Tab-separated table of all heavy atoms in Angstrom:
chain	number	residue	atom	x	y	z
A	1	MET	N	48.933	-41.886	87.793
A	1	MET	CA	47.848	-42.703	88.322
A	1	MET	C	46.765	-42.849	87.244
A	1	MET	O	46.509	-41.940	86.471
A	1	MET	CB	47.194	-42.049	89.560
A	1	MET	CG	48.158	-41.804	90.702
A	1	MET	SD	48.620	-43.342	91.539
A	1	MET	CE	47.499	-43.259	92.940
A	2	ILE	N	46.144	-44.035	87.218
A	2	ILE	CA	45.059	-44.299	86.294
A	2	ILE	C	43.759	-44.335	87.073
A	2	ILE	O	43.704	-45.025	88.091
A	2	ILE	CB	45.260	-45.632	85.575
A	2	ILE	CG1	46.609	-45.713	84.863
A	2	ILE	CG2	44.112	-45.910	84.595
A	2	ILE	CD1	46.726	-44.812	83.651
A	3	SER	N	42.735	-43.599	86.635
A	3	SER	CA	41.459	-43.617	87.296
A	3	SER	C	40.683	-44.852	86.876
A	3	SER	O	40.464	-45.025	85.650
A	3	SER	CB	40.647	-42.371	86.997
A	3	SER	OG	41.205	-41.256	87.621
A	4	TYR	N	40.314	-45.649	87.835
A	4	TYR	CA	39.420	-46.809	87.513
A	4	TYR	C	38.046	-46.535	88.107
A	4	TYR	O	37.927	-45.976	89.194
A	4	TYR	CB	40.017	-48.092	88.149
A	4	TYR	CG	40.941	-48.854	87.207
A	4	TYR	CD1	42.169	-48.386	86.907
A	4	TYR	CD2	40.474	-50.034	86.616
A	4	TYR	CE1	43.004	-49.071	86.033
A	4	TYR	CE2	41.301	-50.743	85.750
A	4	TYR	CZ	42.554	-50.265	85.434
A	4	TYR	OH	43.335	-50.960	84.601
A	5	ILE	N	37.027	-46.907	87.351
A	5	ILE	CA	35.668	-46.695	87.805
A	5	ILE	C	34.941	-48.008	87.854
A	5	ILE	O	34.999	-48.810	86.867
A	5	ILE	CB	34.944	-45.693	86.856
A	5	ILE	CG1	35.661	-44.341	86.896
A	5	ILE	CG2	33.462	-45.554	87.229
A	5	ILE	CD1	35.270	-43.380	85.805
A	6	CYS	N	34.214	-48.232	88.942
A	6	CYS	CA	33.457	-49.495	89.095
A	6	CYS	C	32.230	-49.434	88.176
A	6	CYS	O	31.479	-48.474	88.149
A	6	CYS	CB	32.984	-49.667	90.533
A	6	CYS	SG	31.969	-51.108	90.782
A	7	LEU	N	32.042	-50.491	87.373
A	7	LEU	CA	30.927	-50.551	86.459
A	7	LEU	C	29.595	-50.761	87.197
A	7	LEU	O	28.529	-50.554	86.621
A	7	LEU	CB	31.120	-51.683	85.437
A	7	LEU	CG	32.364	-51.585	84.529
A	7	LEU	CD1	32.442	-52.751	83.577
A	7	LEU	CD2	32.331	-50.251	83.755
A	8	GLU	N	29.673	-51.186	88.472
A	8	GLU	CA	28.462	-51.459	89.220
A	8	GLU	C	28.017	-50.253	90.017
A	8	GLU	O	26.905	-49.762	89.908
A	8	GLU	CB	28.677	-52.641	90.160
A	8	GLU	CG	29.113	-53.926	89.436
A	8	GLU	CD	28.107	-54.509	88.492
A	8	GLU	OE1	26.886	-54.294	88.733
A	8	GLU	OE2	28.505	-55.116	87.501
A	9	CYS	N	28.932	-49.727	90.865
A	9	CYS	CA	28.533	-48.686	91.798
A	9	CYS	C	29.203	-47.339	91.518
A	9	CYS	O	28.976	-46.381	92.234
A	9	CYS	CB	28.830	-49.128	93.229
A	9	CYS	SG	30.597	-49.161	93.680
A	10	ARG	N	30.006	-47.293	90.467
A	10	ARG	CA	30.667	-46.077	90.029
A	10	ARG	C	31.698	-45.541	91.015
A	10	ARG	O	32.072	-44.386	90.973
A	10	ARG	CB	29.654	-44.957	89.718
A	10	ARG	CG	28.563	-45.395	88.754
A	10	ARG	CD	29.124	-45.672	87.367
A	10	ARG	NE	28.158	-46.364	86.525
A	10	ARG	CZ	27.275	-45.735	85.741
A	10	ARG	NH1	27.277	-44.449	85.644
A	10	ARG	NH2	26.454	-46.414	84.997
A	11	GLU	N	32.133	-46.374	91.907
A	11	GLU	CA	33.219	-46.027	92.807
A	11	GLU	C	34.455	-45.732	91.969
A	11	GLU	O	34.750	-46.403	91.014
A	11	GLU	CB	33.513	-47.153	93.809
A	11	GLU	CG	34.614	-46.900	94.741
A	11	GLU	CD	34.258	-45.932	95.865
A	11	GLU	OE1	33.121	-45.503	95.960
A	11	GLU	OE2	35.166	-45.602	96.640
A	12	ASN	N	35.191	-44.679	92.351
A	12	ASN	CA	36.400	-44.288	91.646
A	12	ASN	C	37.606	-44.633	92.477
A	12	ASN	O	37.664	-44.372	93.665
A	12	ASN	CB	36.333	-42.778	91.345
A	12	ASN	CG	37.460	-42.338	90.436
A	12	ASN	OD1	38.654	-42.533	90.776
A	12	ASN	ND2	37.112	-41.745	89.315
A	13	GLU	N	38.601	-45.235	91.842
A	13	GLU	CA	39.829	-45.542	92.532
A	13	GLU	C	41.029	-45.223	91.643
A	13	GLU	O	41.024	-45.478	90.454
A	13	GLU	CB	39.830	-47.060	92.898
A	13	GLU	CG	40.942	-47.428	93.874
A	13	GLU	CD	40.833	-48.894	94.313
A	13	GLU	OE1	39.767	-49.488	94.213
A	13	GLU	OE2	41.855	-49.420	94.771
A	14	GLU	N	42.070	-44.647	92.254
A	14	GLU	CA	43.282	-44.332	91.531
A	14	GLU	C	44.271	-45.481	91.675
A	14	GLU	O	44.628	-45.863	92.763
A	14	GLU	CB	43.927	-43.059	92.083
A	14	GLU	CG	43.001	-41.811	91.985
A	14	GLU	CD	42.935	-41.307	90.583
A	14	GLU	OE1	43.971	-41.297	89.865
A	14	GLU	OE2	41.845	-40.853	90.153
A	15	ILE	N	44.658	-46.020	90.523
A	15	ILE	CA	45.644	-47.146	90.529
A	15	ILE	C	46.927	-46.622	89.949
A	15	ILE	O	46.946	-46.014	88.879
A	15	ILE	CB	45.147	-48.325	89.674
A	15	ILE	CG1	43.688	-48.733	90.025
A	15	ILE	CG2	46.088	-49.518	89.824
A	15	ILE	CD1	43.514	-49.513	91.273
A	16	PRO	N	48.061	-46.802	90.646
A	16	PRO	CA	49.370	-46.363	90.133
A	16	PRO	C	49.641	-46.994	88.737
A	16	PRO	O	49.360	-48.163	88.520
A	16	PRO	CB	50.377	-46.857	91.154
A	16	PRO	CG	49.576	-47.037	92.436
A	16	PRO	CD	48.195	-47.452	91.959
A	17	LEU	N	50.194	-46.154	87.873
A	17	LEU	CA	50.445	-46.601	86.502
A	17	LEU	C	51.298	-47.858	86.461
A	17	LEU	O	51.071	-48.766	85.662
A	17	LEU	CB	51.109	-45.468	85.699
A	17	LEU	CG	51.455	-45.823	84.245
A	17	LEU	CD1	50.217	-46.186	83.426
A	17	LEU	CD2	52.170	-44.629	83.577
A	18	ASP	N	52.357	-47.901	87.315
A	18	ASP	CA	53.237	-49.078	87.224
A	18	ASP	C	52.548	-50.372	87.617
A	18	ASP	O	52.876	-51.469	87.112
A	18	ASP	CB	54.534	-48.848	88.039
A	18	ASP	CG	54.248	-48.575	89.533
A	18	ASP	OD1	53.104	-48.115	89.846
A	18	ASP	OD2	55.119	-48.826	90.350
A	19	VAL	N	51.517	-50.275	88.500
A	19	VAL	CA	50.755	-51.466	88.877
A	19	VAL	C	49.930	-51.929	87.681
A	19	VAL	O	49.885	-53.146	87.338
A	19	VAL	CB	49.797	-51.144	90.076
A	19	VAL	CG1	48.880	-52.318	90.330
A	19	VAL	CG2	50.628	-50.847	91.321
A	20	VAL	N	49.311	-50.965	86.970
A	20	VAL	CA	48.496	-51.303	85.810
A	20	VAL	C	49.390	-51.896	84.715
A	20	VAL	O	49.040	-52.891	84.095
A	20	VAL	CB	47.764	-50.053	85.295
A	20	VAL	CG1	46.927	-50.410	84.063
A	20	VAL	CG2	46.843	-49.473	86.355
A	21	ARG	N	50.541	-51.288	84.520
A	21	ARG	CA	51.502	-51.784	83.513
A	21	ARG	C	51.923	-53.202	83.801
A	21	ARG	O	52.045	-54.035	82.908
A	21	ARG	CB	52.736	-50.865	83.452
A	21	ARG	CG	52.473	-49.502	82.877
A	21	ARG	CD	52.507	-49.556	81.369
A	21	ARG	NE	52.567	-48.234	80.803
A	21	ARG	CZ	51.949	-47.895	79.654
A	21	ARG	NH1	51.271	-48.787	78.995
A	21	ARG	NH2	52.037	-46.647	79.180
A	22	THR	N	52.176	-53.491	85.107
A	22	THR	CA	52.603	-54.812	85.472
A	22	THR	C	51.522	-55.849	85.230
A	22	THR	O	51.790	-56.906	84.680
A	22	THR	CB	52.995	-54.816	86.988
A	22	THR	OG1	54.024	-53.885	87.212
A	22	THR	CG2	53.443	-56.193	87.426
A	23	MET	N	50.271	-55.463	85.565
A	23	MET	CA	49.137	-56.349	85.268
A	23	MET	C	49.027	-56.585	83.756
A	23	MET	O	48.785	-57.669	83.309
A	23	MET	CB	47.841	-55.691	85.749
A	23	MET	CG	47.726	-55.539	87.240
A	23	MET	SD	47.120	-57.042	88.031
A	23	MET	CE	45.448	-57.131	87.371
A	24	ASP	N	49.207	-55.506	83.010
A	24	ASP	CA	49.132	-55.570	81.553
A	24	ASP	C	50.175	-56.523	80.971
A	24	ASP	O	49.919	-57.358	80.127
A	24	ASP	CB	49.295	-54.151	80.955
A	24	ASP	CG	48.743	-53.996	79.589
A	24	ASP	OD1	48.261	-55.028	79.048
A	24	ASP	OD2	48.798	-52.930	79.050
A	25	ALA	N	51.386	-56.398	81.507
A	25	ALA	CA	52.512	-57.218	81.026
A	25	ALA	C	52.299	-58.700	81.302
A	25	ALA	O	52.723	-59.552	80.540
A	25	ALA	CB	53.827	-56.721	81.611
A	26	MET	N	51.661	-58.991	82.432
A	26	MET	CA	51.438	-60.379	82.806
A	26	MET	C	50.278	-61.012	82.046
A	26	MET	O	50.187	-62.212	81.914
A	26	MET	CB	51.107	-60.459	84.347
A	26	MET	CG	52.293	-60.194	85.193
A	26	MET	SD	51.974	-60.590	86.957
A	26	MET	CE	50.532	-59.574	87.280
A	27	ASP	N	49.427	-60.123	81.513
A	27	ASP	CA	48.219	-60.657	80.810
A	27	ASP	C	48.574	-60.839	79.343
A	27	ASP	O	48.584	-59.945	78.571
A	27	ASP	CB	47.071	-59.618	80.964
A	27	ASP	CG	45.844	-60.112	80.225
A	27	ASP	OD1	45.758	-61.280	79.944
A	27	ASP	OD2	44.964	-59.251	79.944
A	28	ASP	N	48.827	-62.107	79.014
A	28	ASP	CA	49.193	-62.416	77.609
A	28	ASP	C	48.002	-62.949	76.839
A	28	ASP	O	48.133	-63.564	75.820
A	28	ASP	CB	50.360	-63.383	77.521
A	28	ASP	CG	50.084	-64.653	78.356
A	28	ASP	OD1	48.967	-64.805	78.843
A	28	ASP	OD2	50.992	-65.497	78.447
A	29	GLY	N	46.824	-62.704	77.391
A	29	GLY	CA	45.603	-63.241	76.790
A	29	GLY	C	44.917	-62.235	75.907
A	29	GLY	O	45.462	-61.785	74.906
A	30	ASP	N	43.703	-61.920	76.256
A	30	ASP	CA	42.807	-61.086	75.453
A	30	ASP	C	43.164	-59.603	75.534
A	30	ASP	O	42.976	-58.966	76.570
A	30	ASP	CB	41.368	-61.304	75.944
A	30	ASP	CG	40.356	-60.684	74.981
A	30	ASP	OD1	40.781	-60.019	74.028
A	30	ASP	OD2	39.174	-60.875	75.197
A	31	SER	N	43.711	-59.084	74.468
A	31	SER	CA	44.125	-57.670	74.481
A	31	SER	C	42.948	-56.740	74.277
A	31	SER	O	43.120	-55.502	74.320
A	31	SER	CB	45.174	-57.422	73.403
A	31	SER	OG	44.617	-57.629	72.123
A	32	MET	N	41.754	-57.307	74.080
A	32	MET	CA	40.564	-56.439	73.967
A	32	MET	C	40.151	-55.931	75.363
A	32	MET	O	39.344	-55.020	75.464
A	32	MET	CB	39.375	-57.193	73.325
A	32	MET	CG	39.643	-57.603	71.893
A	32	MET	SD	39.885	-56.157	70.781
A	32	MET	CE	38.228	-55.455	70.841
A	33	VAL	N	40.625	-56.598	76.337
A	33	VAL	CA	40.221	-56.302	77.719
A	33	VAL	C	41.417	-55.685	78.459
A	33	VAL	O	42.494	-56.233	78.475
A	33	VAL	CB	39.730	-57.574	78.475
A	33	VAL	CG1	39.323	-57.215	79.876
A	33	VAL	CG2	38.592	-58.176	77.691
A	34	PRO	N	41.194	-54.510	79.063
A	34	PRO	CA	42.276	-53.867	79.828
A	34	PRO	C	42.556	-54.585	81.125
A	34	PRO	O	41.750	-55.424	81.557
A	34	PRO	CB	41.747	-52.483	80.075
A	34	PRO	CG	40.284	-52.681	80.160
A	34	PRO	CD	39.965	-53.751	79.162
A	35	PRO	N	43.706	-54.316	81.776
A	35	PRO	CA	43.888	-54.867	83.113
A	35	PRO	C	42.765	-54.386	84.000
A	35	PRO	O	42.358	-53.236	83.967
A	35	PRO	CB	45.213	-54.200	83.531
A	35	PRO	CG	45.914	-53.793	82.316
A	35	PRO	CD	44.813	-53.455	81.328
A	36	GLN	N	42.170	-55.340	84.722
A	36	GLN	CA	40.996	-54.977	85.497
A	36	GLN	C	41.188	-55.312	86.973
A	36	GLN	O	41.956	-56.191	87.306
A	36	GLN	CB	39.737	-55.673	84.944
A	36	GLN	CG	39.342	-55.148	83.618
A	36	GLN	CD	38.079	-55.813	83.053
A	36	GLN	OE1	37.704	-56.919	83.442
A	36	GLN	NE2	37.403	-55.119	82.149
A	37	PHE	N	40.468	-54.581	87.776
A	37	PHE	CA	40.548	-54.756	89.218
A	37	PHE	C	39.138	-54.921	89.750
A	37	PHE	O	38.163	-54.579	89.084
A	37	PHE	CB	41.189	-53.536	89.886
A	37	PHE	CG	42.610	-53.308	89.420
A	37	PHE	CD1	42.878	-52.489	88.315
A	37	PHE	CD2	43.683	-53.914	90.066
A	37	PHE	CE1	44.184	-52.290	87.873
A	37	PHE	CE2	44.972	-53.717	89.629
A	37	PHE	CZ	45.233	-52.924	88.534
A	38	SER	N	39.029	-55.502	90.964
A	38	SER	CA	37.730	-55.658	91.618
A	38	SER	C	37.475	-54.495	92.546
A	38	SER	O	38.371	-54.075	93.267
A	38	SER	CB	37.691	-56.987	92.353
A	38	SER	OG	37.773	-58.076	91.501
A	39	CYS	N	36.253	-54.003	92.500
A	39	CYS	CA	35.822	-52.925	93.406
A	39	CYS	C	35.900	-53.420	94.888
A	39	CYS	O	35.405	-54.476	95.186
A	39	CYS	CB	34.404	-52.508	93.055
A	39	CYS	SG	33.736	-51.244	94.101
A	40	GLU	N	36.534	-52.566	95.705
A	40	GLU	CA	36.586	-52.923	97.111
A	40	GLU	C	35.236	-52.825	97.817
A	40	GLU	O	35.007	-53.462	98.877
A	40	GLU	CB	37.616	-51.989	97.827
A	40	GLU	CG	39.045	-52.328	97.413
A	40	GLU	CD	40.039	-51.543	98.241
A	40	GLU	OE1	39.620	-50.724	99.081
A	40	GLU	OE2	41.257	-51.728	97.996
A	41	LYS	N	34.335	-52.012	97.248
A	41	LYS	CA	33.045	-51.824	97.907
A	41	LYS	C	32.032	-52.897	97.548
A	41	LYS	O	31.309	-53.377	98.426
A	41	LYS	CB	32.473	-50.444	97.556
A	41	LYS	CG	33.271	-49.331	98.200
A	41	LYS	CD	32.424	-48.051	98.381
A	41	LYS	CE	33.130	-47.073	99.231
A	41	LYS	NZ	32.532	-45.748	99.175
A	42	CYS	N	31.958	-53.242	96.245
A	42	CYS	CA	30.882	-54.153	95.841
A	42	CYS	C	31.388	-55.378	95.116
A	42	CYS	O	30.609	-56.250	94.775
A	42	CYS	CB	29.849	-53.399	94.964
A	42	CYS	SG	30.470	-53.085	93.272
A	43	GLY	N	32.719	-55.436	94.863
A	43	GLY	CA	33.284	-56.626	94.158
A	43	GLY	C	33.070	-56.587	92.658
A	43	GLY	O	33.392	-57.531	92.007
A	44	GLY	N	32.496	-55.491	92.174
A	44	GLY	CA	32.258	-55.359	90.742
A	44	GLY	C	33.540	-55.135	89.987
A	44	GLY	O	34.604	-54.932	90.535
A	45	THR	N	33.422	-55.132	88.665
A	45	THR	CA	34.567	-54.925	87.805
A	45	THR	C	34.855	-53.432	87.673
A	45	THR	O	33.983	-52.642	87.439
A	45	THR	CB	34.276	-55.484	86.385
A	45	THR	OG1	34.053	-56.900	86.494
A	45	THR	CG2	35.461	-55.232	85.472
A	46	MET	N	36.150	-53.094	87.853
A	46	MET	CA	36.556	-51.717	87.667
A	46	MET	C	37.246	-51.568	86.339
A	46	MET	O	38.097	-52.379	85.943
A	46	MET	CB	37.496	-51.296	88.805
A	46	MET	CG	36.814	-51.373	90.159
A	46	MET	SD	37.650	-50.427	91.489
A	46	MET	CE	37.028	-48.781	91.178
A	47	TYR	N	36.888	-50.510	85.611
A	47	TYR	CA	37.370	-50.303	84.230
A	47	TYR	C	38.092	-48.979	84.220
A	47	TYR	O	37.659	-48.043	84.874
A	47	TYR	CB	36.155	-50.285	83.281
A	47	TYR	CG	36.508	-50.585	81.852
A	47	TYR	CD1	36.461	-51.884	81.342
A	47	TYR	CD2	36.838	-49.548	80.984
A	47	TYR	CE1	36.771	-52.172	80.030
A	47	TYR	CE2	37.133	-49.816	79.634
A	47	TYR	CZ	37.103	-51.132	79.179
A	47	TYR	OH	37.400	-51.362	77.859
A	48	PRO	N	39.186	-48.847	83.466
A	48	PRO	CA	39.935	-47.613	83.466
A	48	PRO	C	39.168	-46.490	82.750
A	48	PRO	O	38.526	-46.724	81.721
A	48	PRO	CB	41.230	-47.934	82.699
A	48	PRO	CG	40.867	-49.154	81.865
A	48	PRO	CD	39.854	-49.879	82.657
A	49	GLU	N	39.200	-45.297	83.340
A	49	GLU	CA	38.576	-44.140	82.705
A	49	GLU	C	39.258	-43.891	81.331
A	49	GLU	O	38.632	-43.664	80.328
A	49	GLU	CB	38.745	-42.916	83.611
A	49	GLU	CG	37.980	-41.691	83.125
A	49	GLU	CD	37.976	-40.604	84.177
A	49	GLU	OE1	39.050	-40.403	84.784
A	49	GLU	OE2	36.931	-39.971	84.356
A	50	TYR	N	40.558	-43.936	81.357
A	50	TYR	CA	41.324	-43.971	80.112
A	50	TYR	C	42.675	-44.637	80.342
A	50	TYR	O	43.358	-44.345	81.315
A	50	TYR	CB	41.589	-42.542	79.555
A	50	TYR	CG	42.470	-42.580	78.320
A	50	TYR	CD1	41.942	-42.951	77.083
A	50	TYR	CD2	43.829	-42.326	78.406
A	50	TYR	CE1	42.742	-43.026	75.968
A	50	TYR	CE2	44.649	-42.427	77.310
A	50	TYR	CZ	44.109	-42.789	76.081
A	50	TYR	OH	44.935	-42.841	74.995
A	51	TYR	N	43.009	-45.589	79.489
A	51	TYR	CA	44.306	-46.241	79.612
A	51	TYR	C	44.747	-46.710	78.259
A	51	TYR	O	43.967	-47.274	77.491
A	51	TYR	CB	44.185	-47.453	80.557
A	51	TYR	CG	45.462	-48.314	80.587
A	51	TYR	CD1	46.644	-47.804	81.036
A	51	TYR	CD2	45.433	-49.619	80.127
A	51	TYR	CE1	47.784	-48.589	81.073
A	51	TYR	CE2	46.540	-50.446	80.156
A	51	TYR	CZ	47.754	-49.875	80.612
A	51	TYR	OH	48.890	-50.661	80.612
A	52	LYS	N	46.019	-46.382	77.928
A	52	LYS	CA	46.587	-46.882	76.676
A	52	LYS	C	47.536	-48.017	77.016
A	52	LYS	O	48.505	-47.839	77.759
A	52	LYS	CB	47.317	-45.759	75.970
A	52	LYS	CG	47.798	-46.208	74.584
A	52	LYS	CD	48.282	-45.014	73.766
A	52	LYS	CE	48.660	-45.490	72.390
A	52	LYS	NZ	49.109	-44.387	71.511
A	53	GLY	N	47.251	-49.204	76.525
A	53	GLY	CA	47.977	-50.397	76.875
A	53	GLY	C	49.343	-50.494	76.251
A	53	GLY	O	49.728	-49.682	75.379
A	54	LEU	N	50.109	-51.476	76.708
A	54	LEU	CA	51.467	-51.676	76.260
A	54	LEU	C	51.559	-51.934	74.765
A	54	LEU	O	52.533	-51.629	74.128
A	54	LEU	CB	52.077	-52.866	77.000
A	54	LEU	CG	52.344	-52.673	78.497
A	54	LEU	CD1	52.810	-54.000	79.122
A	54	LEU	CD2	53.358	-51.599	78.730
A	55	HIS	N	50.498	-52.473	74.183
A	55	HIS	CA	50.503	-52.819	72.755
A	55	HIS	C	49.721	-51.778	71.933
A	55	HIS	O	49.320	-52.035	70.836
A	55	HIS	CB	49.954	-54.229	72.563
A	55	HIS	CG	50.674	-55.241	73.385
A	55	HIS	ND1	51.969	-55.603	73.146
A	55	HIS	CD2	50.294	-55.953	74.452
A	55	HIS	CE1	52.385	-56.488	74.051
A	55	HIS	NE2	51.359	-56.741	74.842
A	56	GLY	N	49.504	-50.628	72.547
A	56	GLY	CA	48.837	-49.551	71.802
A	56	GLY	C	47.342	-49.558	71.854
A	56	GLY	O	46.715	-48.671	71.248
A	57	ASN	N	46.738	-50.565	72.531
A	57	ASN	CA	45.290	-50.579	72.622
A	57	ASN	C	44.837	-49.461	73.566
A	57	ASN	O	45.422	-49.262	74.619
A	57	ASN	CB	44.805	-51.917	73.195
A	57	ASN	CG	45.310	-53.095	72.353
A	57	ASN	OD1	46.506	-53.350	72.310
A	57	ASN	ND2	44.389	-53.797	71.712
A	58	GLU	N	43.768	-48.792	73.187
A	58	GLU	CA	43.223	-47.739	74.035
A	58	GLU	C	41.901	-48.221	74.633
A	58	GLU	O	41.073	-48.769	73.963
A	58	GLU	CB	43.004	-46.465	73.243
A	58	GLU	CG	44.316	-45.796	72.823
A	58	GLU	CD	44.056	-44.455	72.154
A	58	GLU	OE1	43.889	-44.471	70.942
A	58	GLU	OE2	44.033	-43.445	72.852
A	59	TYR	N	41.788	-47.958	75.925
A	59	TYR	CA	40.571	-48.351	76.641
A	59	TYR	C	39.952	-47.138	77.288
A	59	TYR	O	40.650	-46.343	77.905
A	59	TYR	CB	40.915	-49.380	77.717
A	59	TYR	CG	41.745	-50.547	77.207
A	59	TYR	CD1	43.112	-50.561	77.450
A	59	TYR	CD2	41.157	-51.588	76.513
A	59	TYR	CE1	43.892	-51.642	76.990
A	59	TYR	CE2	41.934	-52.630	76.055
A	59	TYR	CZ	43.290	-52.650	76.294
A	59	TYR	OH	44.075	-53.700	75.853
A	60	LYS	N	38.655	-46.988	77.114
A	60	LYS	CA	37.977	-45.830	77.668
A	60	LYS	C	36.698	-46.296	78.374
A	60	LYS	O	36.007	-47.182	77.856
A	60	LYS	CB	37.583	-44.779	76.605
A	60	LYS	CG	38.828	-44.136	75.955
A	60	LYS	CD	38.387	-43.006	75.056
A	60	LYS	CE	37.695	-43.443	73.768
A	60	LYS	NZ	38.599	-44.171	72.845
A	61	ILE	N	36.401	-45.688	79.490
A	61	ILE	CA	35.193	-46.076	80.202
A	61	ILE	C	33.960	-45.866	79.356
A	61	ILE	O	33.000	-46.581	79.476
A	61	ILE	CB	35.125	-45.259	81.546
A	61	ILE	CG1	33.996	-45.811	82.443
A	61	ILE	CG2	34.891	-43.766	81.305
A	61	ILE	CD1	34.335	-47.112	83.143
A	62	THR	N	34.012	-44.887	78.438
A	62	THR	CA	32.857	-44.612	77.600
A	62	THR	C	32.568	-45.751	76.640
A	62	THR	O	31.513	-45.794	76.027
A	62	THR	CB	33.036	-43.283	76.828
A	62	THR	OG1	34.324	-43.294	76.204
A	62	THR	CG2	32.957	-42.093	77.805
A	63	ASP	N	33.533	-46.665	76.436
A	63	ASP	CA	33.333	-47.811	75.609
A	63	ASP	C	32.349	-48.795	76.219
A	63	ASP	O	31.700	-49.575	75.546
A	63	ASP	CB	34.667	-48.548	75.306
A	63	ASP	CG	35.583	-47.717	74.456
A	63	ASP	OD1	35.094	-46.769	73.779
A	63	ASP	OD2	36.793	-47.970	74.446
A	64	VAL	N	32.284	-48.776	77.540
A	64	VAL	CA	31.466	-49.784	78.240
A	64	VAL	C	30.324	-49.187	79.023
A	64	VAL	O	29.437	-49.868	79.486
A	64	VAL	CB	32.314	-50.661	79.176
A	64	VAL	CG1	33.259	-51.563	78.352
A	64	VAL	CG2	33.134	-49.803	80.151
A	65	LEU	N	30.355	-47.849	79.214
A	65	LEU	CA	29.316	-47.233	79.978
A	65	LEU	C	28.533	-46.235	79.076
A	65	LEU	O	29.108	-45.452	78.348
A	65	LEU	CB	29.911	-46.392	81.119
A	65	LEU	CG	30.209	-47.068	82.465
A	65	LEU	CD1	30.559	-45.989	83.479
A	65	LEU	CD2	29.045	-47.867	82.962
A	66	ASP	N	27.203	-46.261	79.197
A	66	ASP	CA	26.389	-45.280	78.541
A	66	ASP	C	25.846	-44.311	79.596
A	66	ASP	O	25.048	-44.690	80.408
A	66	ASP	CB	25.211	-45.926	77.786
A	66	ASP	CG	25.721	-46.699	76.610
A	66	ASP	OD1	26.559	-46.169	75.897
A	66	ASP	OD2	25.193	-47.783	76.359
A	67	GLU	N	26.372	-43.125	79.574
A	67	GLU	CA	25.915	-42.140	80.595
A	67	GLU	C	24.684	-41.433	80.109
A	67	GLU	O	24.611	-41.054	78.978
A	67	GLU	CB	27.047	-41.088	80.853
A	67	GLU	CG	28.294	-41.711	81.390
A	67	GLU	CD	28.188	-41.998	82.890
A	67	GLU	OE1	27.175	-41.590	83.473
A	67	GLU	OE2	29.091	-42.628	83.410
B	101	LIG	ZN1	31.664	-51.103	93.090
């Protein structure tokens, strides 16, 4: 499971890895952006706490959040 965190309300959601991988595989566009989901609570963008993409790109929540 990949932990996704809402950039707006900090809601945490666990997304199954195969779902994220499928999204990643379908996204042939901007590899700078990880597969993203919408927050069920506020509709905000959810970003992975840590995810290494199919093409070796690494995404971390700390890249976009300043705690
Ligand atoms: Zn939210």
